[in-house]
Amino acid sequence: MLIENMNWMQVEQYLERDDKCVIPLGSTEQHAYLSLCVDKILAAKVAEDAAEPLGVPVYPVVPFGLAHQWTAYPGTVTVRVETYMALLRDVLDSINRTGFRRIVIVNGHGGNTPAKAMVSEWMMDNPACQVKWHDWWNAPQTWAKAQAIDPQASHASWLENFPWTRTADAAMPETDKEMADIAKMAVLSPPAIREYLGDGNMGGAYQKSDADMQALWDVAIAETRALIETGWA
């Protein structure tokens, strides 16, 4: 159930029997040869595929996030931390006002995780609500499956290379890339990060078989669906 396919009366009817919803969070940033909207695409699709059999409404994905390190790459969009926190707080306030009390945030971008602290603070101010923050790609079962496929996995590597995140006519390098030094990157400016990484892949293979990627996806969807459906206080 996508909010974009519902009218307000249908939402009101849904809330008479349930109070769960899902909010996907993404980002628009460089992903080497993959789409600039990888994090947006994956967060939305994880949320939609997981929630659809449950009949739980899914809000439109928030397409912009905290992507400051990638701003030397054309096409990247970032927002300031205070802007992002204010936006998410306003979103949570709005859907709480509507009547949703059990909310799953499906996050598709590691840079957005500072907002987890704000979400905890928001729950302190709204004790009738429960919010689960779900970094879908490194949730326990999903990350274990990724490690079983290849422990060398990173930003813009095979880990994010699904049929639905590829760009037309972009040929992937066939050799693995050396893993980036995360500690070194932490003290580099955006232009220096671009000079260090080059194409933007942070290390590992660029692509795995579609069968491997589907197997990873199946685990991610099952794990996310269980989170939406169960474990509420």
Side-chain angles (χ1 to χ4, degrees), residues 205-221:
Y206 284 81
Q207 189 165 339
K208 296 291 182 180
S209 71
D210 285 352
D212 280 340
M213 300 313 293
Q214 186 61 53
L216 177 62
W217 192 253
D218 291 343
V219 173
I221 297 308

PDB file of all heavy atoms in Angstrom, residues 205-221:
ATOM      1  N   ALA A 205      34.664  -5.927  -5.450  1.00  0.00           N
ATOM      2  CA  ALA A 205      34.193  -6.184  -6.809  1.00  0.00           C
ATOM      3  C   ALA A 205      33.115  -5.177  -7.188  1.00  0.00           C
ATOM      4  O   ALA A 205      32.398  -4.651  -6.333  1.00  0.00           O
ATOM      5  CB  ALA A 205      33.642  -7.600  -6.910  1.00  0.00           C
ATOM      6  N   TYR A 206      33.011  -4.904  -8.457  1.00  0.00           N
ATOM      7  CA  TYR A 206      31.999  -3.972  -8.944  1.00  0.00           C
ATOM      8  C   TYR A 206      30.658  -4.654  -9.180  1.00  0.00           C
ATOM      9  O   TYR A 206      29.610  -4.006  -9.134  1.00  0.00           O
ATOM     10  CB  TYR A 206      32.467  -3.313 -10.244  1.00  0.00           C
ATOM     11  CG  TYR A 206      33.513  -2.248 -10.043  1.00  0.00           C
ATOM     12  CD1 TYR A 206      34.851  -2.585  -9.877  1.00  0.00           C
ATOM     13  CD2 TYR A 206      33.171  -0.896 -10.007  1.00  0.00           C
ATOM     14  CE1 TYR A 206      35.826  -1.609  -9.695  1.00  0.00           C
ATOM     15  CE2 TYR A 206      34.129   0.086  -9.823  1.00  0.00           C
ATOM     16  CZ  TYR A 206      35.466  -0.278  -9.663  1.00  0.00           C
ATOM     17  OH  TYR A 206      36.417   0.699  -9.469  1.00  0.00           O
ATOM     18  N   GLN A 207      30.672  -5.951  -9.442  1.00  0.00           N
ATOM     19  CA  GLN A 207      29.420  -6.614  -9.808  1.00  0.00           C
ATOM     20  C   GLN A 207      29.489  -8.094  -9.459  1.00  0.00           C
ATOM     21  O   GLN A 207      30.534  -8.731  -9.548  1.00  0.00           O
ATOM     22  CB  GLN A 207      29.155  -6.454 -11.314  1.00  0.00           C
ATOM     23  CG  GLN A 207      27.777  -6.908 -11.760  1.00  0.00           C
ATOM     24  CD  GLN A 207      27.428  -6.407 -13.155  1.00  0.00           C
ATOM     25  OE1 GLN A 207      28.006  -5.431 -13.627  1.00  0.00           O
ATOM     26  NE2 GLN A 207      26.495  -7.061 -13.809  1.00  0.00           N
ATOM     27  N   LYS A 208      28.348  -8.629  -9.025  1.00  0.00           N
ATOM     28  CA  LYS A 208      28.160 -10.069  -8.818  1.00  0.00           C
ATOM     29  C   LYS A 208      27.031 -10.536  -9.726  1.00  0.00           C
ATOM     30  O   LYS A 208      26.357  -9.744 -10.387  1.00  0.00           O
ATOM     31  CB  LYS A 208      27.827 -10.363  -7.357  1.00  0.00           C
ATOM     32  CG  LYS A 208      28.932 -10.019  -6.366  1.00  0.00           C
ATOM     33  CD  LYS A 208      30.131 -10.942  -6.509  1.00  0.00           C
ATOM     34  CE  LYS A 208      31.209 -10.619  -5.483  1.00  0.00           C
ATOM     35  NZ  LYS A 208      32.389 -11.503  -5.609  1.00  0.00           N
ATOM     36  N   SER A 209      26.808 -11.827  -9.748  1.00  0.00           N
ATOM     37  CA  SER A 209      25.759 -12.362 -10.607  1.00  0.00           C
ATOM     38  C   SER A 209      24.387 -11.912 -10.119  1.00  0.00           C
ATOM     39  O   SER A 209      24.183 -11.624  -8.936  1.00  0.00           O
ATOM     40  CB  SER A 209      25.812 -13.891 -10.624  1.00  0.00           C
ATOM     41  OG  SER A 209      25.384 -14.413  -9.371  1.00  0.00           O
ATOM     42  N   ASP A 210      23.443 -11.865 -11.041  1.00  0.00           N
ATOM     43  CA  ASP A 210      22.074 -11.510 -10.658  1.00  0.00           C
ATOM     44  C   ASP A 210      21.499 -12.520  -9.679  1.00  0.00           C
ATOM     45  O   ASP A 210      20.672 -12.179  -8.824  1.00  0.00           O
ATOM     46  CB  ASP A 210      21.187 -11.414 -11.901  1.00  0.00           C
ATOM     47  CG  ASP A 210      21.450 -10.137 -12.708  1.00  0.00           C
ATOM     48  OD1 ASP A 210      22.195  -9.272 -12.212  1.00  0.00           O
ATOM     49  OD2 ASP A 210      20.908 -10.032 -13.822  1.00  0.00           O
ATOM     50  N   ALA A 211      21.929 -13.771  -9.771  1.00  0.00           N
ATOM     51  CA  ALA A 211      21.452 -14.794  -8.830  1.00  0.00           C
ATOM     52  C   ALA A 211      21.926 -14.476  -7.412  1.00  0.00           C
ATOM     53  O   ALA A 211      21.148 -14.594  -6.443  1.00  0.00           O
ATOM     54  CB  ALA A 211      21.951 -16.172  -9.264  1.00  0.00           C
ATOM     55  N   ASP A 212      23.176 -14.068  -7.272  1.00  0.00           N
ATOM     56  CA  ASP A 212      23.685 -13.675  -5.954  1.00  0.00           C
ATOM     57  C   ASP A 212      22.922 -12.472  -5.418  1.00  0.00           C
ATOM     58  O   ASP A 212      22.573 -12.417  -4.228  1.00  0.00           O
ATOM     59  CB  ASP A 212      25.174 -13.334  -6.036  1.00  0.00           C
ATOM     60  CG  ASP A 212      26.068 -14.556  -6.030  1.00  0.00           C
ATOM     61  OD1 ASP A 212      25.620 -15.633  -5.589  1.00  0.00           O
ATOM     62  OD2 ASP A 212      27.230 -14.434  -6.475  1.00  0.00           O
ATOM     63  N   MET A 213      22.673 -11.495  -6.282  1.00  0.00           N
ATOM     64  CA  MET A 213      21.991 -10.289  -5.831  1.00  0.00           C
ATOM     65  C   MET A 213      20.547 -10.566  -5.448  1.00  0.00           C
ATOM     66  O   MET A 213      20.028  -9.993  -4.489  1.00  0.00           O
ATOM     67  CB  MET A 213      22.079  -9.208  -6.912  1.00  0.00           C
ATOM     68  CG  MET A 213      23.515  -8.802  -7.265  1.00  0.00           C
ATOM     69  SD  MET A 213      24.573  -8.484  -5.828  1.00  0.00           S
ATOM     70  CE  MET A 213      23.798  -7.017  -5.150  1.00  0.00           C
ATOM     71  N   GLN A 214      19.889 -11.464  -6.168  1.00  0.00           N
ATOM     72  CA  GLN A 214      18.516 -11.812  -5.817  1.00  0.00           C
ATOM     73  C   GLN A 214      18.479 -12.553  -4.482  1.00  0.00           C
ATOM     74  O   GLN A 214      17.569 -12.335  -3.665  1.00  0.00           O
ATOM     75  CB  GLN A 214      17.880 -12.669  -6.909  1.00  0.00           C
ATOM     76  CG  GLN A 214      16.394 -12.942  -6.681  1.00  0.00           C
ATOM     77  CD  GLN A 214      15.562 -11.669  -6.649  1.00  0.00           C
ATOM     78  OE1 GLN A 214      15.621 -10.858  -7.566  1.00  0.00           O
ATOM     79  NE2 GLN A 214      14.778 -11.485  -5.583  1.00  0.00           N
ATOM     80  N   ALA A 215      19.460 -13.406  -4.249  1.00  0.00           N
ATOM     81  CA  ALA A 215      19.523 -14.119  -2.972  1.00  0.00           C
ATOM     82  C   ALA A 215      19.706 -13.141  -1.812  1.00  0.00           C
ATOM     83  O   ALA A 215      19.076 -13.288  -0.749  1.00  0.00           O
ATOM     84  CB  ALA A 215      20.662 -15.133  -3.001  1.00  0.00           C
ATOM     85  N   LEU A 216      20.555 -12.137  -2.018  1.00  0.00           N
ATOM     86  CA  LEU A 216      20.742 -11.104  -0.995  1.00  0.00           C
ATOM     87  C   LEU A 216      19.457 -10.320  -0.783  1.00  0.00           C
ATOM     88  O   LEU A 216      19.062 -10.043   0.353  1.00  0.00           O
ATOM     89  CB  LEU A 216      21.879 -10.172  -1.415  1.00  0.00           C
ATOM     90  CG  LEU A 216      22.170  -8.988  -0.491  1.00  0.00           C
ATOM     91  CD1 LEU A 216      22.602  -9.467   0.886  1.00  0.00           C
ATOM     92  CD2 LEU A 216      23.245  -8.082  -1.100  1.00  0.00           C
ATOM     93  N   TRP A 217      18.799  -9.983  -1.876  1.00  0.00           N
ATOM     94  CA  TRP A 217      17.556  -9.208  -1.796  1.00  0.00           C
ATOM     95  C   TRP A 217      16.477  -9.972  -1.042  1.00  0.00           C
ATOM     96  O   TRP A 217      15.756  -9.396  -0.222  1.00  0.00           O
ATOM     97  CB  TRP A 217      17.075  -8.868  -3.199  1.00  0.00           C
ATOM     98  CG  TRP A 217      15.986  -7.845  -3.222  1.00  0.00           C
ATOM     99  CD1 TRP A 217      14.660  -8.041  -3.488  1.00  0.00           C
ATOM    100  CD2 TRP A 217      16.131  -6.445  -2.969  1.00  0.00           C
ATOM    101  NE1 TRP A 217      13.975  -6.857  -3.413  1.00  0.00           N
ATOM    102  CE2 TRP A 217      14.862  -5.865  -3.092  1.00  0.00           C
ATOM    103  CE3 TRP A 217      17.228  -5.636  -2.651  1.00  0.00           C
ATOM    104  CZ2 TRP A 217      14.645  -4.506  -2.910  1.00  0.00           C
ATOM    105  CZ3 TRP A 217      17.007  -4.282  -2.462  1.00  0.00           C
ATOM    106  CH2 TRP A 217      15.727  -3.733  -2.592  1.00  0.00           C
ATOM    107  N   ASP A 218      16.364 -11.260  -1.292  1.00  0.00           N
ATOM    108  CA  ASP A 218      15.344 -12.066  -0.630  1.00  0.00           C
ATOM    109  C   ASP A 218      15.528 -12.048   0.885  1.00  0.00           C
ATOM    110  O   ASP A 218      14.546 -11.962   1.641  1.00  0.00           O
ATOM    111  CB  ASP A 218      15.390 -13.511  -1.143  1.00  0.00           C
ATOM    112  CG  ASP A 218      14.928 -13.645  -2.585  1.00  0.00           C
ATOM    113  OD1 ASP A 218      14.277 -12.706  -3.092  1.00  0.00           O
ATOM    114  OD2 ASP A 218      15.221 -14.684  -3.214  1.00  0.00           O
ATOM    115  N   VAL A 219      16.777 -12.119   1.327  1.00  0.00           N
ATOM    116  CA  VAL A 219      17.041 -12.064   2.765  1.00  0.00           C
ATOM    117  C   VAL A 219      16.679 -10.682   3.315  1.00  0.00           C
ATOM    118  O   VAL A 219      16.057 -10.561   4.376  1.00  0.00           O
ATOM    119  CB  VAL A 219      18.519 -12.389   3.058  1.00  0.00           C
ATOM    120  CG1 VAL A 219      18.842 -12.156   4.538  1.00  0.00           C
ATOM    121  CG2 VAL A 219      18.832 -13.826   2.669  1.00  0.00           C
ATOM    122  N   ALA A 220      17.058  -9.627   2.590  1.00  0.00           N
ATOM    123  CA  ALA A 220      16.768  -8.264   3.046  1.00  0.00           C
ATOM    124  C   ALA A 220      15.270  -8.026   3.182  1.00  0.00           C
ATOM    125  O   ALA A 220      14.813  -7.402   4.153  1.00  0.00           O
ATOM    126  CB  ALA A 220      17.379  -7.250   2.086  1.00  0.00           C
ATOM    127  N   ILE A 221      14.505  -8.520   2.228  1.00  0.00           N
ATOM    128  CA  ILE A 221      13.054  -8.315   2.274  1.00  0.00           C
ATOM    129  C   ILE A 221      12.433  -9.091   3.424  1.00  0.00           C
ATOM    130  O   ILE A 221      11.588  -8.568   4.165  1.00  0.00           O
ATOM    131  CB  ILE A 221      12.410  -8.717   0.927  1.00  0.00           C
ATOM    132  CG1 ILE A 221      12.932  -7.828  -0.202  1.00  0.00           C
ATOM    133  CG2 ILE A 221      10.884  -8.632   1.016  1.00  0.00           C
ATOM    134  CD1 ILE A 221      12.835  -6.354   0.048  1.00  0.00           C
TER     135      ILE A 221
END
